[in-house]
Amino acid sequence: MADTSADTFDAGRLEIARGDITRLDVSAIVNAANEALAPGGGVCGAIHRGAGPGLAAACREIGGCPTGEARLTPGFGLRAEFVIHAVGPRWHGGTSGEEHLLAACYTAALELAAGAGVASVAFPAISTGIYGYPLEAATKTAVRTVREFTRTHDEPTRIVFCCFSPADTEVYRRVLAGEA
Ligand code: ADP
């Protein structure tokens, strides 16, 4: 079986990694956040556990973030210097502007990363867990949006798609390779 645990695309600027996003060696990790910026389940819970209570306090101070936008905090106890809290949409069947909002939160996260001089950033599969966004559709929007951003921005120089399961990894690999 092919090894899909790590792969690079677009002359090495885009990358797939598998596993826990909090363990990656990157300057910033993106959190699949909720509008309240409250510690929750899924990847958000893992990031808050890794960062420690300072992260929740910083999020309380910010006071929230609308869907489709993003906010930057320090990484506190995490390996990453920054956490970028991006609020993706809940899936309501696809006719409530979900695609636009998902793309917007990826772009907002990348703009914050570029503005902070972040060289490398890792994204989880925003909205595809508790928020119910179908994985392949979300992956296509994520990849298209990141590629559009990289065409007009030199930073971040390394953008990692962090996949939590082998099945997710395979979907990302196919979309990035243009096979889906
Ligand atoms: P949302 O509420 O935006 O759907 P979730 O956290 O429920 O966010 O899920 C988003 C994605 O993050 C899912 O693919 C889930 O499997 C994945 N995930 C969960 N924990 C982690 C983790 N520690 N590192 C990376 N990805 C994770």
Side-chain angles (χ1 to χ4, degrees), residues 18-159:
R18 233 197 87 197
D20 181 357
I21 198 167
T22 65
R23 311 290 291 254
L24 297 181
D25 188 15
V26 287
S27 320
I29 59 175
V30 176
N31 182 17
N34 50 66
E35 285 194 328
L37 299 182
V43 69
C44 184
I47 288 172
H48 276 271
R49 278 194 299 280
L55 184 62
C59 287
R60 271 196 302 278
E61 184 112 328
I62 293 170
C65 175
T67 300
E69 297 187 16
R71 300 290 184 267
L72 181 88
T73 66
F76 297 92
L78 290 163
R79 301 178 68 154
E81 188 181 354
F82 299 107
V83 178
I84 298 171
H85 307 263
V87 184
R90 289 176 192 274
W91 181 254
H92 292 295
T95 54
S96 304
E98 291 95 331
E99 186 180 349
H100 168 77
L101 290 166
L102 186 65
C105 85
Y106 273 90
T107 303
L110 289 165
E111 279 169 352
L112 285 174
V118 162
S120 54
V121 60
F123 283 91
I126 297 171
S127 286
T128 69
I130 296 159
Y131 279 7
Y133 206 120
L135 179 66
E136 188 168 312
T139 304
K140 286 179 174 169
T141 295
V143 167
R144 190 193 68 238
T145 306
V146 167
R147 281 191 165 139
E148 277 168 15
F149 190 89
T150 58
R151 275 197 280 278
T152 50
H153 296 77
D154 293 333
E155 283 196 315
T157 53
R158 182 173 163 237
I159 299 164

